[in-house]
Amino acid sequence: MGLPQSTPRHVGIVLAAGAGRRYGKPKVLVEGWLPTAIGALRDGGCAGVVLVLGAAEVPAPPGVTAVTASRWREGLSASVCTGLAEADRLGADYAVLHVVDTPDVGPDVVARVLGRAEASASGLARAVFGGRPGHPVVIARRHWPEVLTRISGDQGAGVYLRERTDVANVECGDLAGGQDVDEPQDEPR
């Protein structure tokens, strides 16, 4: 009789450090978006949630670990680096990268993408909406070191994922639009 297999630990990372220049304020401050993003990760299967802040500081909701990307002005890569470092500290097997500005993405999207990442040999999966890549993105721990060497400036994990042929692209257009909201008039109605 072998030892019982432990359940992989999934840590969701809300990337919310940006200034939201086109939106007119940091998007982490938009009413309802942060609780929606956190809820999607928690209810979608993440055992823990990390909130990456930068341009604006907000109190972390109960049970959420807030960290600040000190170099947030450099772009998305600083947030991803900060989030993965915290996921590593928490002992995660998978990081579920999600952005605060996709308010129509719910837990069903997260669960679908996370399930595909776990079932794939690569441990890599990303949501796609009508064939368009989006978030969340799931990355198994073994990929984190290489992800960190590939990203810079405003380029996140997508740089690494685009170079690979073993990423499970998980169609989620039946569940959400997945559109990043960059300006107030882009908000879903």
Side-chain angles (χ1 to χ4, degrees), residues 93-94 113-125 138-143 160 164-170:
D93 294 320
Y94 291 87
V113 178
L114 186 53
R116 281 289 297 282
E118 286 185 299
S120 75
S122 69
L124 297 169
V138 181
I139 304 172
R141 172 185 281 279
R142 67 183 174 273
H143 296 281
Y160 177 74
R164 301 188 60 96
T165 59
D166 57 354
V167 177
N169 289 310
V170 184

Side-chain angles (χ1 to χ4, degrees), residues 28-81:
V28 72
L29 300 176
V30 176
E31 187 174 340
W33 284 9
L34 181 58
T36 298
I38 291 169
L41 292 168
R42 277 189 176 152
D43 297 340
C46 295
V49 176
V50 173
L51 170 60
V52 182
L53 298 169
E57 295 294 321
V58 298
V64 173
T65 303
V67 293
T68 300
S70 60
R71 296 168 32 189
W72 66 268
R73 286 179 186 83
E74 294 177 15
L76 185 58
S77 62
S79 296
V80 172
C81 288

Side-chain angles (χ1 to χ4, degrees), residues 87-105:
D88 181 55
R89 190 188 72 73
L90 294 172
D93 294 320
Y94 291 87
V96 183
L97 302 177
H98 190 38
V99 291
V100 75
D101 63 350
T102 55
D104 74 333
V105 171

